[in-house]
Amino acid sequence: MDIMPQGFGYEGHTMAEARNGAPDCGHTRLFLCSYHAWTFELDGRLKASPEMHQAEGFCRDDFFLKSFRTEVWQGFVFVNLNGGAPPLAEGLGEMRADLEAFRLEGMKLVIAREWDCPFNWKVLVENFMESYHHLGIHHKTLQPMMPARDTWTEQERRFYIRAHLPYKDSVREAYRTFEKSADFSSALAPIPGLSDGQKAEWGLFLAPPTFLLATAPDRVIWYRLQPLGPERLRLLTTTLVAPNALASSNFAQLRAQAAEQLTAFHLEDMQVCTAVQRGLYARGWQRGRLSHLEMPLWLFHRFLAARIRGVWPTDGYPAAPSQRP
Ligand SMILES: [Fe+2]
C-alpha cells in the first residue's frame, strides 16, 4: 500500500502537517500505513506492527522501507533509482555555474499548482523549451515582453540544454528604472546579485529528461513533471522567489499577481499541448520542419536518440554550435 497517498502532508492527514499549503510539501514524524497501522521511522525502520508479536519467528528488524539513492543539488532533492549512476553534480557543474547567482538553495517556493495533463511528457518538455510559439499562442502574454524572434539557444552539451529569452528594449529599460527606484511594492523585488545580462532576459534550462527551470530577474519558475503513462502527466507549476521578496509589505498581493500571470500563460500552453497530443493520434500525422527558434527541440531529440543508443550527446561527434558567438 502507498503510505504517502495524495493529500499526505495536508492538514488533517494523520501524523503529517501541511506547510505553505503547497501540494507535497509538509512534514511528519513517522510514516503510518493506515491499512494495518504499521508505523515506520523516517529512516525506514519498522517501528511498530500491532499484534505481530504473536506471529511465530517474526522479527521486526527484517522489515524496513526500501531505500534509494538521493542527491541534493541546488536545494532540489533528486532520487536515483539506478544506484550505479555517476553523481548528478558531476554532470551539471557548468549548469550550476550558470545558476549560481540565483542562489536556488535559499529561494522560497511561494506558488505551486498541480495540473492533470492529457498529453505525453515530451510534449510539455518541448513546449517549455522553445519560444517560437510566443508569437502564436502567447502573442498577448509573453510575446510583448520577450519576442520570439530574439530568442536563442546555446551550444549542445552532454547533460543540459540552455536557451535565452531577451526582453524587448522597452521592457529592459522599464526594469532598470524599477530596480533603481528601490520601491518594490508594485512588483516582486529583484533577486540580488544578478548580472546585467541576467536582469535583461528569462533563461530556460532543461537537464533531460525532465528537470525544467525558467529564470527571470525576480523569480525562478520550476516545473516538476511526473509522467503517469504515455498520455498522462501530472505537472506541478511553481514559482520561487529570493527571501528578500517576502519582506515587501505588499507581498501577498504580488504573489497573487505572479500566480495569475503564471496561470494565464500556462493555460495557453495547456491548450496547445492538449491539441498537439490530439494531432499525435491522427492517422494523417506527418513530420514537419523545425524553425531555427526551436533548436532546443532538436537538441532534446538528439539527447533522446543518444540515450536510446546507450551513449550521451556529443559522444563521438562535435557539439552543435551556439546560435550566438
Ligand atoms: Fe508556452
Side-chain angles (χ1 to χ4, degrees):
M1 167 155 165
D2 180 0
I3 60 167
M4 292 176 72
Q6 197 81 358
F8 180 87
Y10 284 103
E11 216 165 329
H13 191 283
T14 326
M15 289 192 190
E17 288 171 41
R19 264 188 198 161
N20 295 341
D24 303 332
C25 179
H27 66 108
T28 188
R29 291 175 291 108
L30 290 167
F31 294 114
L32 165 71
C33 177
S34 54
Y35 203 172
H36 300 98
W38 285 30
T39 50
F40 298 85
E41 302 278 8
L42 294 184
D43 65 4
R45 277 178 299 136
L46 179 57
K47 180 184 169 69
S49 45
E51 302 304 331
M52 286 300 287
H53 57 279
Q54 298 198 48
E56 198 178 325
F58 176 81
C59 176
R60 208 169 55 196
D61 293 342
D62 293 343
F63 298 87
F64 38 82
L65 300 177
K66 191 165 169 59
S67 54
F68 294 101
R69 199 172 128 203
T70 58
E71 188 173 333
V72 178
W73 186 86
Q74 304 286 284
F76 293 92
V77 182
F78 287 81
V79 180
N80 189 332
L81 302 185
N82 167 2
L88 185 80
E90 234 169 61
L92 295 184
E94 213 181 337
M95 179 163 151
R96 183 180 183 283
D98 284 343
L99 289 164
E100 195 148 36
F102 290 89
R103 299 169 200 245
L104 292 173
E105 65 283 348
M107 293 189 100
K108 304 287 174 199
L109 192 148
V110 294
I111 300 166
R113 180 165 174 179
E114 197 173 289
W115 305 77
D116 186 8
C117 305
F119 42 80
N120 184 275
W121 64 274
K122 296 189 292 300
V123 172
L124 190 276
V125 170
E126 292 184 350
N127 172 262
F128 189 97
M129 285 306 292
E130 61 91 353
S131 309
Y132 181 26
H133 73 280
H134 283 195
L135 58 71
I137 194 69
H138 296 315
H139 70 280
K140 284 188 185 149
T141 47
L142 299 176
Q143 174 76 0
M145 207 164 50
M146 298 168 284
R149 66 167 180 276
D150 297 335
T151 63
W152 61 282
T153 304
E154 290 192 8
Q155 71 273 17
E156 186 173 29
R157 293 179 171 103
R158 278 165 74 87
F159 298 116
Y160 77 103
I161 297 168
R162 177 165 193 207
H164 296 259
L165 287 52
Y167 282 156
K168 207 162 68 174
D169 288 348
S170 56
V171 175
R172 199 167 53 225
E173 270 311 307
Y175 198 77
R176 258 192 223 137
T177 310
F178 163 70
E179 198 189 12
K180 264 190 212 144
S181 79
D183 171 11
F184 306 138
S185 58
S186 63
L188 288 171
I191 298 167
L194 298 187
S195 69
D196 287 346
Q198 286 165 330
K199 289 176 194 170
E201 64 170 33
W202 283 27
L204 298 182
F205 292 85
L206 164 64
T210 55
F211 185 56
L212 286 170
L213 285 182
T215 60
D218 59 357
R219 72 195 79 180
V220 169
I221 293 171
W222 167 49
Y223 277 21
R224 192 182 71 190
L225 280 70
Q226 290 179 286
L228 298 176
E231 297 153 3
R232 222 177 130 218
L233 168 71
R234 184 187 296 149
L235 175 69
L236 188 75
T237 58
T238 77
T239 298
L240 295 85
V241 298
N244 63 310
L246 275 69
S248 167
S249 56
N250 214 13
F251 180 70
Q253 195 187 331
L254 300 180
R255 173 165 68 176
Q257 258 171 33
E260 206 175 299
Q261 188 189 17
L262 180 63
T263 298
F265 72 74
H266 187 66
L267 280 171
E268 294 169 346
D269 286 320
M270 287 293 285
Q271 183 190 331
V272 293
C273 288
T274 304
V276 164
Q277 183 68 52
R278 286 202 303 272
L280 292 170
Y281 295 134
R283 289 186 70 177
W285 178 89
Q286 53 188 341
R287 185 173 296 201
R289 171 76 195 261
L290 292 180
S291 151
H292 70 287
L293 298 173
E294 294 170 297
M295 182 169 162
L297 271 59
W298 180 68
L299 295 178
F300 177 49
H301 284 272
R302 275 158 80 94
F303 178 92
L304 295 174
R307 296 308 297 136
I308 287 166
R309 294 196 308 275
V311 296
W312 295 90
T314 74
D315 278 354
Y317 65 88
S322 172
Q323 291 185 315
R324 292 270 172 92

